[in-house]
Amino acid sequence: MERTFEALLAEAESAPVAGWDFSWLDGRATEQRPSWGYQRSMSARLATATAALDIQTGGGEVLAEAAAFPPTMVATESWPPNIAKATALLHPRGAVVVADADEPPLPFADAAFDLVTSRHPATVQWHEIARVLRPGGTYFAQHVGPASVFELVEYFLGPQPAARRERHPDDEAAAARAAGLEIVDQRHERLRMEFYDIGAIVYFLRKVIWIVPRFTVEVYRDRLRTLHDHIERRGSFLAHSSRTLIEARKL
């Protein structure tokens, strides 16, 4: 039986959004994965590190997939529901989760880590990353790239020409170098995303809060209704994510 617009909204509004697990979207949305396999490469680096820091770990789900942790494994997170989830997931494996406001300074000593990782950080504190890395240490991360999911952003917010340049790989490389890091590897890809019902879009926007800041169903109900009708006619809403892989070494 086909679910109504109101039923889809109610279901998506009531779904829990803590952590970084997107399994609720199984069968309702798809996203291509980058060709480089971030989690696999991160896991290999963790296996040879002595002290590692994972910044903005979310609910710890990506980090927890690593086969082995170094003797010192620390993760930071700012959102209380995610802190609790990451603590429950990572503490049994010996990792320490530190509550951090995602503002400088990072709460660690200079040269404390030989590896710093992050997957989709909301902010990147290049000088702080360089400060907590040991000489020769590595920052390995997958960032959200420029104009990611801008089909959704601009559908709800209108044209955002200035924001399209944010997180450009060239700008990030320049900022990393200015902080004293050498770029070892950098790659960028745009990847196909499809949403198959309006509930998937509501859930995604509730979970990934920076796509449409302060998003609520109440505020955007009319736009959601129009988008629901589009999906009913076309079968899906098409967007594109933007991802950048970056590996940088402290000089």
Side-chain angles (χ1 to χ4, degrees), residues 93-249:
R93 295 191 56 187
V96 175
V97 178
V98 176
D100 178 62
D102 296 339
E103 296 178 357
L106 286 167
F108 308 106
D110 296 357
F113 304 99
D114 57 301
L115 176 66
V116 175
T117 61
S118 193
R119 182 179 179 273
H120 302 176
T123 58
V124 182
Q125 304 171 33
W126 289 109
H127 283 87
E128 282 298 290
I129 290 166
R131 181 183 65 79
V132 301
L133 275 173
R134 297 168 185 165
T138 297
Y139 176 64
F140 183 75
Q142 179 175 294
H143 292 180
V144 175
S148 189
V149 204
F150 255 50
E151 295 90 342
L152 267 183
V153 171
E154 296 189 330
Y155 175 81
F156 286 101
L157 302 179
Q160 306 285 308
R164 283 185 166 272
R165 175 73 192 192
E166 293 175 4
R167 297 176 176 267
H168 194 282
D170 292 349
D171 299 339
E172 293 205 319
R177 293 188 186 101
L181 301 174
E182 174 191 20
I183 303 299
V184 176
D185 189 13
Q186 188 179 46
R187 308 177 215 172
H188 177 256
E189 293 180 358
R190 293 190 67 79
L191 304 152
R192 185 183 180 93
M193 300 177 71
E194 284 192 85
F195 298 88
Y196 300 111
D197 68 63
I198 198 63
I201 287 176
V202 169
Y203 177 85
F204 179 77
L205 294 178
R206 289 182 59 229
K207 194 175 186 76
V208 190
I209 58 175
W210 54 86
I211 299 292
V212 179
R214 296 175 294 281
F215 170 84
T216 67
V217 166
E218 181 181 2
V219 169
Y220 290 102
R221 182 175 293 273
D222 290 345
R223 295 296 284 161
L224 289 166
R225 179 78 221 198
T226 302
L227 192 50
H228 168 74
D229 293 341
H230 169 92
I231 294 172
E232 291 291 291
R233 290 193 309 271
R234 301 286 184 90
S236 68
F237 179 81
L238 177 64
H240 294 85
S241 63
S242 176
R243 301 288 181 259
T244 302
L245 180 78
I246 187 162
E247 181 173 9
R249 182 183 300 118

